[in-house]
């Protein structure tokens, strides 16, 4: 049987038969053109009434050949030899049959790297052409970005196999831009200023640092200043493209207590001088009277003097000091001198004999005067106002004076 091959040549298929019940060995073959394939070295023996046959193919016979021939020589197992020749007429023209073909899909590789585009590798398949916008791109590789359809065109002599595709959508997005390398950043602690003034609250000054956001209860407060009272934590959020430096903090506790209430302003007060009364009577001491003034206390030797009247003798300094909420104006220190009372003279009596002889030379001392007594109301006892009189023969009053510095 002769037929057109796909490559445009003629192909002949030969059938060789053995009609004897012995194996026959093929010892040679000759063709009238082309190439022979498929002829075995032996042909099996017959069995029963039928002949044993094998097939061989003679290919690549040029178109235009008038005929094709095959001569086969053989020897049977019993030594008998024979040869046979076959011949067939060939057609003058040959139209090869269409060959089925399945186009292969292009290979699309999406890039995983930034700033590196993906690719499309178009195959090179027998029997078809791959077209991109009408241009044959078979076997080529393209770099994205791409978005479109690669079409398939079948060449002559080929036919699409069942379910074969003729279009292949291609999408290769543009590569992403690489992010810059992360820059290390160290958040700066907020500046906390506690107030030293009453009724003035402290403040928190939040910095504005490149690469971070400062958050107070979830709100971005970078670069802002807040007035207390405050108690909480300012958190740090790192922006894209930045990374925290080693040992950098991400939280800053903030405590600004409420300002203290201011004390009321001090009220000015002017102390009144103690009233000094010198006695004109013998054996009656003079007095000093301490007034009662709102916002003022009087002191002697760091001891408070209750308002009232005190008896001498004395030579001291009395000072005034302001109570809380007051401030003094005017004089606040006074020297107080109360001389010792004069001794009353005795009435004349009957003269006595004048003693004779020399006096002993040692005068009889006069008893010391007690400290100035407090004569006013209250529980305060005598003050340590010293005025001691020493009396001797022919002597007079001696005052031991003691002055105190002013009390602030």
């Amino acid at each position: 049987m002769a037929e057109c091959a796909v490559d445009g040549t003629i192909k002949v298929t030969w059938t060789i038969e053995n009609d004897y019940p012995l194996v026959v060995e093929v010892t040679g073959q000759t063709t009238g053109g082309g190439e022979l394939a498929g002829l075995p070295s032996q042909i099996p023996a017959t069995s029963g009434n039928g002949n044993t046959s094998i097939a061989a193919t003679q290919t690549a016979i040029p178109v235009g050949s008038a005929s094709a021939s095959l001569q086969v020589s053989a020897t049977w197992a019993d030594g008998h030899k024979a040869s046979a020749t076959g011949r067939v007429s060939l057609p003058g023209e040959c139209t090869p049959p269409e060959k089925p073909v399945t186009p292969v899909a292009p290979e699309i590789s999406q890039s995983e790297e930034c700033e590196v585009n993906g690719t499309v590798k178009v195959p090179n398949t027998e029997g078809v052409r791959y077209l991109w916008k009408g241009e044959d791109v078979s076997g080529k590789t393209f770099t994205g970005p791409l978005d479109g359809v690669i079409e398939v065109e079948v060449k002559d002599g080929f036919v699409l196999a069942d379910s074969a595709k003729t279009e292949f959508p291609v999408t290769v997005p543009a590569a992403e831009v690489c992010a810059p390398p992360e820059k290390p950043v160290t958040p700066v602690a907020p500046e906390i200023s506690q107030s030293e003034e009453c009724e003035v609250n402290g403040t928190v000054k939040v910095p504005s640092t490149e690469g971070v956001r400062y958050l107070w209860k979830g709100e971005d407060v970078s670069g802002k200043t807040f007035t207390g009272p405050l108690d909480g934590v300012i958190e740090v959020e790192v922006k894209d493209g930045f990374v925290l430096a080693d040992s950098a903090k991400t939280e800053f506790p903030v405590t600004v207590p409420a300002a203290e209430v201011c004390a009321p302003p001090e009220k000015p007060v002017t102390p009144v001088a103690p009233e000094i009364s010198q006695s004109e009577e013998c054996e009656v001491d003079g007095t000093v009277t301490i007034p009662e003034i709102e916002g003022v206390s009087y002191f002697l030797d760091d001891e408070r003097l209750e308002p009232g009247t005190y008896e001498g003798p004395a030579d001291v300094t009395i000072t005034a000091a302001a109570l809380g909420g007051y401030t003094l104006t005017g004089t606040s220190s006074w020297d107080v001198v109360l001389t010792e009372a004069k001794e009353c003279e005795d009435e004349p009596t009957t003269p006595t004999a004048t003693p004779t002889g020399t006096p002993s030379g040692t005068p009889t001392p006069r008893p010391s005067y007690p400290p100035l007594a407090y004569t006013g109301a209250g529980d305060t006892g005598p003050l340590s106002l010293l005025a001691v009189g020493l009396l001797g023969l022919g002597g007079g009053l001696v005052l031991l004076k003691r002055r105190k510095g002013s009390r602030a």
Side-chain angles (χ1 to χ4, degrees), residues 327-340:
T327 183
L328 293 183
T329 62
T331 304
S332 61
S333 177
W334 302 270
D335 292 332
V336 176
V337 178
L338 295 174
T339 59
E340 187 176 7

Side-chain angles (χ1 to χ4, degrees), residues 219-245:
E219 179 185 353
D220 187 353
V221 293
S222 303
K224 296 182 179 180
T225 299
F226 295 89
T227 302
L230 295 168
D231 188 17
V233 175
I234 291 179
E235 299 175 328
V236 173
E237 181 180 78
V238 181
K239 296 179 181 179
D240 292 339
F242 293 83
V243 63
L244 282 177

Side-chain angles (χ1 to χ4, degrees), residues 121-157:
K121 185 177 181 180
V122 184
N124 195 356
T125 304
E126 180 188 23
V128 297
R129 282 181 289 270
Y130 294 89
L131 305 179
W132 175 261
K133 298 179 181 180
E135 179 186 355
D136 188 352
V137 293
S138 302
K140 296 183 180 181
T141 299
F142 295 89
T143 301
L146 295 169
D147 189 19
V149 176
I150 291 179
E151 299 175 329
V152 173
E153 182 180 78
V154 181
K155 296 180 180 179
D156 294 341

Side-chain angles (χ1 to χ4, degrees), residues 50-67:
N51 294 343
T52 300
S53 62
I54 55 95
T57 303
Q58 185 179 358
T59 60
I61 302 172
V63 175
S65 301
S67 63

